[in-house]
């Protein structure tokens, strides 16, 4: 009787190749720029009530603090969890949109020129960065499908070059 040796799933060649490809894509200048700008944007959003001077408006200050931290957590870890970036990027885009409407949506009279200007600019930048991250993740999955699909296998068959 022949014995079979089962390789753990973590060591499966296809899974290892996908992880290596994720590492290569996450190391691109585009991915690194998106991650760095997302961290800066999230940090600014969290600290904006104290930077711009509307920290007296407690509901908006707390909202921006929570949204900024959540945004940093979603897109700041772009390089370490690239395979989940697509869904995280869409959640970050929602945070960016929320940031734009928050001065009018939260309780209290917080819609003042400083808070509105800061939130709209920061929210627009956050949304654009999130869409760029979603685009990068989509490009990666499209490339992965093209590189491993039936057409790619036909190109590598002898006589089909």
């Amino acid at each position: 009787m022949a014995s079979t040796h089962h390789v753990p799933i973590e060591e499966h060649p296809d899974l290892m190749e996908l992880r290596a490809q994720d590492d290569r894509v996450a190391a691109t200048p585009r991915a690194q720029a998106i991650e760095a700008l997302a961290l800066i944007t999230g940090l600014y959003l969290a600290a904006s009530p104290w930077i711009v001077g509307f920290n007296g408006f407690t509901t908006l200050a707390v909202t921006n603090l929570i949204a900024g931290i959540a945004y940093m957590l979603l897109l700041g870890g772009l390089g370490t969890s690239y395979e989940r970036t697509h869904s995280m990027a869409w959640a970050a885009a929602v945070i960016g949109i929320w940031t734009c409407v928050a001065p009018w949506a939260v309780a209290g009279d917080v819609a003042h020129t400083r808070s509105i200007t800061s939130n709209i600019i920061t929210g627009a930048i956050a949304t654009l960065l999130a869409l760029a991250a979603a685009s990068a993740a989509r490009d990666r999955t499209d490339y992965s499908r093209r590189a491993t699909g039936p057409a790619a296998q036909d190109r590598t068959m002898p006589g089909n070059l």
Side-chain angles (χ1 to χ4, degrees), residues 21-39 70-90 92 129-138 140:
Q21 184 177 5
D22 285 344
D23 291 341
R24 285 190 300 271
V25 172
T28 64
R30 178 182 177 190
Q32 291 174 352
I34 292 170
E35 182 178 359
L37 291 172
L39 281 170
Y71 189 83
M72 283 190 301
L73 291 175
L74 285 172
L75 285 187
L78 181 67
T80 59
S81 56
Y82 202 76
E83 64 271 3
R84 295 186 308 269
T85 300
H86 190 71
S87 60
M88 292 187 311
W90 286 111
L129 286 171
L131 293 175
S135 172
R138 183 184 45 106
R140 179 242 171 260

Side-chain angles (χ1 to χ4, degrees), residues 41-69:
T41 302
L43 180 62
Y44 174 79
L45 178 58
S48 64
W50 295 272
I51 293 171
V52 178
F54 58 91
N55 57 334
F57 312 129
T58 58
T59 54
L60 188 59
V62 171
T63 298
N64 281 8
L65 179 65
I66 292 169
I69 291 170

